[in-house]
Amino acid sequence: ASTLGASAAASGRYYGAAVAAYKLSDSVYSGILDREFTMVTPENEMKWDATEPSQGSFSYGSADQIVNHAVAAGQRIRGHALAWHSQQPGWAQNLSGSALRQAMVNHITNVAGHYRGKIYAWDVVNEAFADGSSGARRDSNLQRTGNDWIEVAFRTARAADPNAKLCYNDYNTDGVNAKSTAVYNMVVDFKARGVPIDCVGFQSHLNSASPLPGDYQANLQRFANLGVEVQITELDIAGSGTAQANDFAAVTRACLAVARCAGITVWGIRDTDSWRASSTPLLFDGNGNKKAAYTAVLDAL
Ligand code: XIL
């Protein structure tokens, strides 16, 4: 096929992009979005600071814009992210203990409830594990409410939107390492105890100057073997030219080789849209032209 979305669909997968609401009026941007992509993740618009700027008062304007655009274009939606230590509103940053726990539950109930029936998968919890070799949870205000905060978040999300797949999402979990193994052990535990979890997201913020983890595919596969879907959720690869194109192709092949790898989302459309714009990590250049990396992905799909 001649687009990312159609090529991914040939094997039952999606190809997605992170989208910013304020760019939808840019016709070059939305032209590429609607031509190439079959899944959309709001880049910032569903985060806690955006959706509940003051406690108990919910604001869905920008997120709804993206959802409405996606529905009109026949794209599905990944919700991102219900519970995360970052991009919390100031009022939540100042809470702790049972007040923060209650606020988290209320937030998830309201936001997942607002979008009930419209979300393919939610990143219920984002980035809850520490970097490095400890395998520990990341210290955060949410973690300090008690180690059970993650399972409470998942149970709350399930109740609010029973048809959405519920994902755990993180970075530096792209190969087999202490951090990904800690996430793996959490999934094993959740499955054993009946805590709802359907998918694991691998952000995959990568750099073509360092080798891709050689066990990238094996890592996806070990999670898939637990019975969860795996998704590449925020792919971008710093670099340019052949090195970047080869890494994009390798990530694509890894997903295709894992039956439960449901799809790939790139974290932006043009290099200039990227949160790492100076590293030119995406598939289209600033003018919206296809890069070598685009062709490599299309050929690999
Ligand atoms: C980033 C956005 O791309 C930026 O626009 C924002 O300023 C900060 O957050 N991991 C995640 C994403 O889960 O939500 C982050 O998105 C990138 C890292």
Side-chain angles (χ1 to χ4, degrees), residues 29 45 79 122 147 149 213 231 251 279 287:
Y29 182 85
E45 291 79 352
W122 266 112
N147 209 48
W149 74 277
Q231 304 174 7
V251 169
S279 67
N287 295 318

PDB file of all heavy atoms in Angstrom, residues 29 45 79 122 147 149 213 231 251 279 287:
ATOM      1  N   TYR A  29      -0.128  20.003   7.860  1.00  0.00           N
ATOM      2  CA  TYR A  29      -0.136  19.076   8.996  1.00  0.00           C
ATOM      3  C   TYR A  29      -1.322  18.127   8.929  1.00  0.00           C
ATOM      4  O   TYR A  29      -1.165  16.899   8.961  1.00  0.00           O
ATOM      5  CB  TYR A  29      -0.181  19.922  10.271  1.00  0.00           C
ATOM      6  CG  TYR A  29      -0.157  19.170  11.581  1.00  0.00           C
ATOM      7  CD1 TYR A  29       1.057  18.789  12.150  1.00  0.00           C
ATOM      8  CD2 TYR A  29      -1.328  18.900  12.281  1.00  0.00           C
ATOM      9  CE1 TYR A  29       1.098  18.141  13.371  1.00  0.00           C
ATOM     10  CE2 TYR A  29      -1.302  18.247  13.499  1.00  0.00           C
ATOM     11  CZ  TYR A  29      -0.084  17.876  14.045  1.00  0.00           C
ATOM     12  OH  TYR A  29      -0.059  17.233  15.255  1.00  0.00           O
ATOM     13  N   GLU A  45      -3.070  17.138  25.336  1.00  0.00           N
ATOM     14  CA  GLU A  45      -4.409  17.655  25.631  1.00  0.00           C
ATOM     15  C   GLU A  45      -5.217  16.812  26.592  1.00  0.00           C
ATOM     16  O   GLU A  45      -6.222  17.285  27.133  1.00  0.00           O
ATOM     17  CB  GLU A  45      -5.172  17.836  24.314  1.00  0.00           C
ATOM     18  CG  GLU A  45      -4.637  18.953  23.418  1.00  0.00           C
ATOM     19  CD  GLU A  45      -3.391  18.590  22.608  1.00  0.00           C
ATOM     20  OE1 GLU A  45      -2.814  17.508  22.835  1.00  0.00           O
ATOM     21  OE2 GLU A  45      -3.015  19.401  21.759  1.00  0.00           O
ATOM     22  N   GLY A  79      -5.721   7.227  24.337  1.00  0.00           N
ATOM     23  CA  GLY A  79      -5.813   8.230  25.395  1.00  0.00           C
ATOM     24  C   GLY A  79      -4.503   8.278  26.182  1.00  0.00           C
ATOM     25  O   GLY A  79      -3.928   7.255  26.506  1.00  0.00           O
ATOM     26  N   TRP A 122      -6.133   3.300  26.685  1.00  0.00           N
ATOM     27  CA  TRP A 122      -5.670   4.378  27.573  1.00  0.00           C
ATOM     28  C   TRP A 122      -4.289   4.054  28.125  1.00  0.00           C
ATOM     29  O   TRP A 122      -4.056   2.928  28.605  1.00  0.00           O
ATOM     30  CB  TRP A 122      -6.614   4.520  28.779  1.00  0.00           C
ATOM     31  CG  TRP A 122      -7.689   5.538  28.626  1.00  0.00           C
ATOM     32  CD1 TRP A 122      -9.040   5.303  28.524  1.00  0.00           C
ATOM     33  CD2 TRP A 122      -7.520   6.968  28.607  1.00  0.00           C
ATOM     34  NE1 TRP A 122      -9.718   6.504  28.412  1.00  0.00           N
ATOM     35  CE2 TRP A 122      -8.817   7.530  28.467  1.00  0.00           C
ATOM     36  CE3 TRP A 122      -6.416   7.831  28.678  1.00  0.00           C
ATOM     37  CZ2 TRP A 122      -9.022   8.923  28.405  1.00  0.00           C
ATOM     38  CZ3 TRP A 122      -6.618   9.204  28.611  1.00  0.00           C
ATOM     39  CH2 TRP A 122      -7.907   9.735  28.472  1.00  0.00           C
ATOM     40  N   ASN A 147       1.935   1.901  47.485  1.00  0.00           N
ATOM     41  CA  ASN A 147       2.385   1.104  46.347  1.00  0.00           C
ATOM     42  C   ASN A 147       1.228   0.604  45.486  1.00  0.00           C
ATOM     43  O   ASN A 147       1.437   0.239  44.328  1.00  0.00           O
ATOM     44  CB  ASN A 147       3.199  -0.090  46.869  1.00  0.00           C
ATOM     45  CG  ASN A 147       4.239  -0.542  45.874  1.00  0.00           C
ATOM     46  OD1 ASN A 147       4.981   0.286  45.341  1.00  0.00           O
ATOM     47  ND2 ASN A 147       4.280  -1.831  45.617  1.00  0.00           N
ATOM     48  N   TRP A 149      -1.076   2.290  44.219  1.00  0.00           N
ATOM     49  CA  TRP A 149      -1.697   3.346  43.401  1.00  0.00           C
ATOM     50  C   TRP A 149      -1.881   2.911  41.947  1.00  0.00           C
ATOM     51  O   TRP A 149      -2.872   3.289  41.305  1.00  0.00           O
ATOM     52  CB  TRP A 149      -0.914   4.655  43.489  1.00  0.00           C
ATOM     53  CG  TRP A 149       0.399   4.714  42.730  1.00  0.00           C
ATOM     54  CD1 TRP A 149       1.612   4.249  43.157  1.00  0.00           C
ATOM     55  CD2 TRP A 149       0.637   5.296  41.441  1.00  0.00           C
ATOM     56  NE1 TRP A 149       2.583   4.490  42.205  1.00  0.00           N
ATOM     57  CE2 TRP A 149       2.008   5.140  41.142  1.00  0.00           C
ATOM     58  CE3 TRP A 149      -0.174   5.931  40.501  1.00  0.00           C
ATOM     59  CZ2 TRP A 149       2.586   5.598  39.954  1.00  0.00           C
ATOM     60  CZ3 TRP A 149       0.402   6.394  39.321  1.00  0.00           C
ATOM     61  CH2 TRP A 149       1.772   6.219  39.059  1.00  0.00           C
ATOM     62  N   PRO A 213      18.538  -1.519  21.052  1.00  0.00           N
ATOM     63  CA  PRO A 213      18.738  -2.709  21.882  1.00  0.00           C
ATOM     64  C   PRO A 213      18.604  -3.975  21.013  1.00  0.00           C
ATOM     65  O   PRO A 213      17.626  -4.121  20.279  1.00  0.00           O
ATOM     66  CB  PRO A 213      17.614  -2.629  22.910  1.00  0.00           C
ATOM     67  CG  PRO A 213      17.211  -1.187  22.949  1.00  0.00           C
ATOM     68  CD  PRO A 213      17.492  -0.637  21.573  1.00  0.00           C
ATOM     69  N   GLN A 231       2.448  -2.296  22.312  1.00  0.00           N
ATOM     70  CA  GLN A 231       2.296  -1.181  21.384  1.00  0.00           C
ATOM     71  C   GLN A 231       3.538  -0.304  21.488  1.00  0.00           C
ATOM     72  O   GLN A 231       4.052  -0.093  22.585  1.00  0.00           O
ATOM     73  CB  GLN A 231       1.061  -0.338  21.751  1.00  0.00           C
ATOM     74  CG  GLN A 231      -0.241  -1.126  21.821  1.00  0.00           C
ATOM     75  CD  GLN A 231      -1.410  -0.287  22.317  1.00  0.00           C
ATOM     76  OE1 GLN A 231      -1.289   0.924  22.501  1.00  0.00           O
ATOM     77  NE2 GLN A 231      -2.549  -0.936  22.527  1.00  0.00           N
ATOM     78  N   VAL A 251      12.751  -1.189  13.972  1.00  0.00           N
ATOM     79  CA  VAL A 251      11.638  -1.122  14.929  1.00  0.00           C
ATOM     80  C   VAL A 251      10.360  -1.641  14.265  1.00  0.00           C
ATOM     81  O   VAL A 251       9.592  -2.410  14.866  1.00  0.00           O
ATOM     82  CB  VAL A 251      11.452   0.322  15.450  1.00  0.00           C
ATOM     83  CG1 VAL A 251      10.143   0.470  16.219  1.00  0.00           C
ATOM     84  CG2 VAL A 251      12.645   0.728  16.320  1.00  0.00           C
ATOM     85  N   SER A 279      16.737  17.265  17.028  1.00  0.00           N
ATOM     86  CA  SER A 279      17.325  15.972  16.664  1.00  0.00           C
ATOM     87  C   SER A 279      16.625  15.346  15.452  1.00  0.00           C
ATOM     88  O   SER A 279      16.899  14.197  15.118  1.00  0.00           O
ATOM     89  CB  SER A 279      17.302  15.019  17.863  1.00  0.00           C
ATOM     90  OG  SER A 279      15.972  14.687  18.197  1.00  0.00           O
ATOM     91  N   ASN A 287       9.039  20.720   6.016  1.00  0.00           N
ATOM     92  CA  ASN A 287       8.121  21.123   4.945  1.00  0.00           C
ATOM     93  C   ASN A 287       7.038  20.082   4.692  1.00  0.00           C
ATOM     94  O   ASN A 287       6.217  20.254   3.787  1.00  0.00           O
ATOM     95  CB  ASN A 287       8.900  21.369   3.649  1.00  0.00           C
ATOM     96  CG  ASN A 287       9.851  22.540   3.784  1.00  0.00           C
ATOM     97  OD1 ASN A 287       9.493  23.566   4.370  1.00  0.00           O
ATOM     98  ND2 ASN A 287      11.066  22.388   3.279  1.00  0.00           N
TER      99      ASN A 287
END
